[in-house]
Amino acid sequence: MTDFGTPGSFPTPPTPPSSGARTGPPWEQPGAFFQRWLDTAKSILLDPQGGFRNVRRTGGLGAPLTYYAVGAAPAILGMFLFQLIGIGGSMIGSDAGPAALIGGAGVIGFLIVLVCLFLVGFFVGTGIVHLVLSLLGGAKHGFEATARTFAYAYGSTAPIMAVPVCGGPIAGIWALVCAIFGLAEMQETTPVKAAIAIFSPMILCCILSFLFWAAIMAMVMGSAAVGGSMQ
């Protein structure tokens, strides 16, 4: 009876295998606030594949979104200050100088627009990327894994945008590299599929812009043709 245990009892089931070595980035560990942020940013920026290898695919979006907000804050502040003193108009596609932001309403409105661009752009872009990756058969995990990837990739590179003139392009390129390798690691797919999915929102914006301006030009030319025939 010793081989089968005591009567009426069952052998203890084996311990299920661990979910992996993903214990979470330094940001999700105890420690000093800014030190955790800096340690996470260094791991993502210097070694995207290695950094994302330790990021959990689930666990909630609270911590990743907070990380993204902390990283986006210097970028928003920098863009606002550069625009305020008249050297950042090209950063947001506007030629408005300091005079346009003198009024309190203008300042508040500009800040609100920047915050909305960062927040709304994050969720819209993440949603499109995850949808395209799913259509490509590369999304082996849920939307949360994609959102966590973007939060840590773009949150790590966003502060670079606070650097005048060259900060925006550098941050954009570096963010794409981190996001591509991070998404491939988090979704267990190839970098090629990850790149196609990540570039899809940009391609969609270009197509929509082309169609918009094509429609405008068609309306202008049609109006000119009608006006010429009436003379």
mmCIF file with all atom_site columns, all heavy atoms in Angstrom, residues 68-81:
data_model
loop_
_atom_site.group_PDB
_atom_site.id
_atom_site.type_symbol
_atom_site.label_atom_id
_atom_site.label_alt_id
_atom_site.label_comp_id
_atom_site.label_asym_id
_atom_site.label_entity_id
_atom_site.label_seq_id
_atom_site.pdbx_PDB_ins_code
_atom_site.Cartn_x
_atom_site.Cartn_y
_atom_site.Cartn_z
_atom_site.occupancy
_atom_site.B_iso_or_equiv
_atom_site.pdbx_formal_charge
_atom_site.auth_seq_id
_atom_site.auth_comp_id
_atom_site.auth_asym_id
_atom_site.auth_atom_id
_atom_site.pdbx_PDB_model_num
ATOM 1  N N   . TYR A 1 68 ? 4.831  54.826 -19.865 1.00 0.00 ? 68 TYR A N   1
ATOM 2  C CA  . TYR A 1 68 ? 4.708  55.601 -21.099 1.00 0.00 ? 68 TYR A CA  1
ATOM 3  C C   . TYR A 1 68 ? 4.430  57.071 -20.790 1.00 0.00 ? 68 TYR A C   1
ATOM 4  O O   . TYR A 1 68 ? 5.004  57.965 -21.432 1.00 0.00 ? 68 TYR A O   1
ATOM 5  C CB  . TYR A 1 68 ? 3.589  55.014 -21.958 1.00 0.00 ? 68 TYR A CB  1
ATOM 6  C CG  . TYR A 1 68 ? 3.281  55.818 -23.198 1.00 0.00 ? 68 TYR A CG  1
ATOM 7  C CD1 . TYR A 1 68 ? 4.132  55.801 -24.293 1.00 0.00 ? 68 TYR A CD1 1
ATOM 8  C CD2 . TYR A 1 68 ? 2.121  56.593 -23.272 1.00 0.00 ? 68 TYR A CD2 1
ATOM 9  C CE1 . TYR A 1 68 ? 3.849  56.538 -25.435 1.00 0.00 ? 68 TYR A CE1 1
ATOM 10 C CE2 . TYR A 1 68 ? 1.829  57.332 -24.408 1.00 0.00 ? 68 TYR A CE2 1
ATOM 11 C CZ  . TYR A 1 68 ? 2.692  57.298 -25.482 1.00 0.00 ? 68 TYR A CZ  1
ATOM 12 O OH  . TYR A 1 68 ? 2.415  58.029 -26.609 1.00 0.00 ? 68 TYR A OH  1
ATOM 13 N N   . ALA A 1 69 ? 3.561  57.345 -19.800 1.00 0.00 ? 69 ALA A N   1
ATOM 14 C CA  . ALA A 1 69 ? 3.236  58.722 -19.432 1.00 0.00 ? 69 ALA A CA  1
ATOM 15 C C   . ALA A 1 69 ? 4.458  59.447 -18.883 1.00 0.00 ? 69 ALA A C   1
ATOM 16 O O   . ALA A 1 69 ? 4.690  60.621 -19.194 1.00 0.00 ? 69 ALA A O   1
ATOM 17 C CB  . ALA A 1 69 ? 2.095  58.733 -18.416 1.00 0.00 ? 69 ALA A CB  1
ATOM 18 N N   . VAL A 1 70 ? 5.243  58.750 -18.062 1.00 0.00 ? 70 VAL A N   1
ATOM 19 C CA  . VAL A 1 70 ? 6.458  59.358 -17.506 1.00 0.00 ? 70 VAL A CA  1
ATOM 20 C C   . VAL A 1 70 ? 7.440  59.696 -18.622 1.00 0.00 ? 70 VAL A C   1
ATOM 21 O O   . VAL A 1 70 ? 8.074  60.759 -18.619 1.00 0.00 ? 70 VAL A O   1
ATOM 22 C CB  . VAL A 1 70 ? 7.109  58.418 -16.471 1.00 0.00 ? 70 VAL A CB  1
ATOM 23 C CG1 . VAL A 1 70 ? 8.459  58.960 -16.014 1.00 0.00 ? 70 VAL A CG1 1
ATOM 24 C CG2 . VAL A 1 70 ? 6.192  58.224 -15.269 1.00 0.00 ? 70 VAL A CG2 1
ATOM 25 N N   . GLY A 1 71 ? 7.571  58.816 -19.602 1.00 0.00 ? 71 GLY A N   1
ATOM 26 C CA  . GLY A 1 71 ? 8.471  59.079 -20.719 1.00 0.00 ? 71 GLY A CA  1
ATOM 27 C C   . GLY A 1 71 ? 7.955  60.163 -21.649 1.00 0.00 ? 71 GLY A C   1
ATOM 28 O O   . GLY A 1 71 ? 8.748  60.940 -22.202 1.00 0.00 ? 71 GLY A O   1
ATOM 29 N N   . ALA A 1 72 ? 6.639  60.237 -21.818 1.00 0.00 ? 72 ALA A N   1
ATOM 30 C CA  . ALA A 1 72 ? 6.064  61.225 -22.736 1.00 0.00 ? 72 ALA A CA  1
ATOM 31 C C   . ALA A 1 72 ? 6.068  62.628 -22.147 1.00 0.00 ? 72 ALA A C   1
ATOM 32 O O   . ALA A 1 72 ? 6.054  63.605 -22.901 1.00 0.00 ? 72 ALA A O   1
ATOM 33 C CB  . ALA A 1 72 ? 4.631  60.825 -23.102 1.00 0.00 ? 72 ALA A CB  1
ATOM 34 N N   . ALA A 1 73 ? 6.084  62.749 -20.817 1.00 0.00 ? 73 ALA A N   1
ATOM 35 C CA  . ALA A 1 73 ? 6.010  64.059 -20.175 1.00 0.00 ? 73 ALA A CA  1
ATOM 36 C C   . ALA A 1 73 ? 7.136  64.995 -20.615 1.00 0.00 ? 73 ALA A C   1
ATOM 37 O O   . ALA A 1 73 ? 6.872  66.148 -20.982 1.00 0.00 ? 73 ALA A O   1
ATOM 38 C CB  . ALA A 1 73 ? 6.004  63.890 -18.653 1.00 0.00 ? 73 ALA A CB  1
ATOM 39 N N   . PRO A 1 74 ? 8.416  64.568 -20.620 1.00 0.00 ? 74 PRO A N   1
ATOM 40 C CA  . PRO A 1 74 ? 9.471  65.473 -21.096 1.00 0.00 ? 74 PRO A CA  1
ATOM 41 C C   . PRO A 1 74 ? 9.300  65.862 -22.561 1.00 0.00 ? 74 PRO A C   1
ATOM 42 O O   . PRO A 1 74 ? 9.612  66.997 -22.947 1.00 0.00 ? 74 PRO A O   1
ATOM 43 C CB  . PRO A 1 74 ? 10.768 64.667 -20.894 1.00 0.00 ? 74 PRO A CB  1
ATOM 44 C CG  . PRO A 1 74 ? 10.422 63.634 -19.881 1.00 0.00 ? 74 PRO A CG  1
ATOM 45 C CD  . PRO A 1 74 ? 8.984  63.305 -20.116 1.00 0.00 ? 74 PRO A CD  1
ATOM 46 N N   . ALA A 1 75 ? 8.808  64.922 -23.382 1.00 0.00 ? 75 ALA A N   1
ATOM 47 C CA  . ALA A 1 75 ? 8.598  65.236 -24.795 1.00 0.00 ? 75 ALA A CA  1
ATOM 48 C C   . ALA A 1 75 ? 7.528  66.302 -24.958 1.00 0.00 ? 75 ALA A C   1
ATOM 49 O O   . ALA A 1 75 ? 7.687  67.259 -25.728 1.00 0.00 ? 75 ALA A O   1
ATOM 50 C CB  . ALA A 1 75 ? 8.209  63.963 -25.552 1.00 0.00 ? 75 ALA A CB  1
ATOM 51 N N   . ILE A 1 76 ? 6.422  66.153 -24.242 1.00 0.00 ? 76 ILE A N   1
ATOM 52 C CA  . ILE A 1 76 ? 5.339  67.131 -24.324 1.00 0.00 ? 76 ILE A CA  1
ATOM 53 C C   . ILE A 1 76 ? 5.809  68.488 -23.822 1.00 0.00 ? 76 ILE A C   1
ATOM 54 O O   . ILE A 1 76 ? 5.546  69.526 -24.444 1.00 0.00 ? 76 ILE A O   1
ATOM 55 C CB  . ILE A 1 76 ? 4.117  66.642 -23.513 1.00 0.00 ? 76 ILE A CB  1
ATOM 56 C CG1 . ILE A 1 76 ? 3.541  65.370 -24.157 1.00 0.00 ? 76 ILE A CG1 1
ATOM 57 C CG2 . ILE A 1 76 ? 3.057  67.726 -23.410 1.00 0.00 ? 76 ILE A CG2 1
ATOM 58 C CD1 . ILE A 1 76 ? 2.428  64.735 -23.356 1.00 0.00 ? 76 ILE A CD1 1
ATOM 59 N N   . LEU A 1 77 ? 6.513  68.493 -22.693 1.00 0.00 ? 77 LEU A N   1
ATOM 60 C CA  . LEU A 1 77 ? 7.008  69.751 -22.137 1.00 0.00 ? 77 LEU A CA  1
ATOM 61 C C   . LEU A 1 77 ? 8.008  70.410 -23.074 1.00 0.00 ? 77 LEU A C   1
ATOM 62 O O   . LEU A 1 77 ? 7.964  71.634 -23.292 1.00 0.00 ? 77 LEU A O   1
ATOM 63 C CB  . LEU A 1 77 ? 7.653  69.484 -20.775 1.00 0.00 ? 77 LEU A CB  1
ATOM 64 C CG  . LEU A 1 77 ? 8.218  70.717 -20.040 1.00 0.00 ? 77 LEU A CG  1
ATOM 65 C CD1 . LEU A 1 77 ? 7.103  71.719 -19.759 1.00 0.00 ? 77 LEU A CD1 1
ATOM 66 C CD2 . LEU A 1 77 ? 8.893  70.297 -18.745 1.00 0.00 ? 77 LEU A CD2 1
ATOM 67 N N   . GLY A 1 78 ? 8.915  69.609 -23.656 1.00 0.00 ? 78 GLY A N   1
ATOM 68 C CA  . GLY A 1 78 ? 9.897  70.168 -24.564 1.00 0.00 ? 78 GLY A CA  1
ATOM 69 C C   . GLY A 1 78 ? 9.260  70.757 -25.814 1.00 0.00 ? 78 GLY A C   1
ATOM 70 O O   . GLY A 1 78 ? 9.602  71.875 -26.233 1.00 0.00 ? 78 GLY A O   1
ATOM 71 N N   . MET A 1 79 ? 8.333  70.036 -26.417 1.00 0.00 ? 79 MET A N   1
ATOM 72 C CA  . MET A 1 79 ? 7.657  70.539 -27.603 1.00 0.00 ? 79 MET A CA  1
ATOM 73 C C   . MET A 1 79 ? 6.887  71.814 -27.300 1.00 0.00 ? 79 MET A C   1
ATOM 74 O O   . MET A 1 79 ? 6.852  72.749 -28.105 1.00 0.00 ? 79 MET A O   1
ATOM 75 C CB  . MET A 1 79 ? 6.719  69.456 -28.159 1.00 0.00 ? 79 MET A CB  1
ATOM 76 C CG  . MET A 1 79 ? 7.431  68.237 -28.697 1.00 0.00 ? 79 MET A CG  1
ATOM 77 S SD  . MET A 1 79 ? 6.308  66.893 -29.157 1.00 0.00 ? 79 MET A SD  1
ATOM 78 C CE  . MET A 1 79 ? 5.477  67.630 -30.557 1.00 0.00 ? 79 MET A CE  1
ATOM 79 N N   . PHE A 1 80 ? 6.273  71.854 -26.121 1.00 0.00 ? 80 PHE A N   1
ATOM 80 C CA  . PHE A 1 80 ? 5.516  73.042 -25.728 1.00 0.00 ? 80 PHE A CA  1
ATOM 81 C C   . PHE A 1 80 ? 6.438  74.252 -25.550 1.00 0.00 ? 80 PHE A C   1
ATOM 82 O O   . PHE A 1 80 ? 6.152  75.356 -26.036 1.00 0.00 ? 80 PHE A O   1
ATOM 83 C CB  . PHE A 1 80 ? 4.748  72.761 -24.438 1.00 0.00 ? 80 PHE A CB  1
ATOM 84 C CG  . PHE A 1 80 ? 4.156  73.989 -23.819 1.00 0.00 ? 80 PHE A CG  1
ATOM 85 C CD1 . PHE A 1 80 ? 3.060  74.608 -24.389 1.00 0.00 ? 80 PHE A CD1 1
ATOM 86 C CD2 . PHE A 1 80 ? 4.698  74.528 -22.666 1.00 0.00 ? 80 PHE A CD2 1
ATOM 87 C CE1 . PHE A 1 80 ? 2.514  75.740 -23.824 1.00 0.00 ? 80 PHE A CE1 1
ATOM 88 C CE2 . PHE A 1 80 ? 4.157  75.660 -22.092 1.00 0.00 ? 80 PHE A CE2 1
ATOM 89 C CZ  . PHE A 1 80 ? 3.060  76.265 -22.668 1.00 0.00 ? 80 PHE A CZ  1
ATOM 90 N N   . LEU A 1 81 ? 7.561  74.066 -24.860 1.00 0.00 ? 81 LEU A N   1
ATOM 91 C CA  . LEU A 1 81 ? 8.482  75.167 -24.615 1.00 0.00 ? 81 LEU A CA  1
ATOM 92 C C   . LEU A 1 81 ? 9.119  75.659 -25.906 1.00 0.00 ? 81 LEU A C   1
ATOM 93 O O   . LEU A 1 81 ? 9.263  76.871 -26.120 1.00 0.00 ? 81 LEU A O   1
ATOM 94 C CB  . LEU A 1 81 ? 9.561  74.727 -23.619 1.00 0.00 ? 81 LEU A CB  1
ATOM 95 C CG  . LEU A 1 81 ? 9.088  74.477 -22.189 1.00 0.00 ? 81 LEU A CG  1
ATOM 96 C CD1 . LEU A 1 81 ? 10.240 73.985 -21.316 1.00 0.00 ? 81 LEU A CD1 1
ATOM 97 C CD2 . LEU A 1 81 ? 8.474  75.743 -21.584 1.00 0.00 ? 81 LEU A CD2 1
#
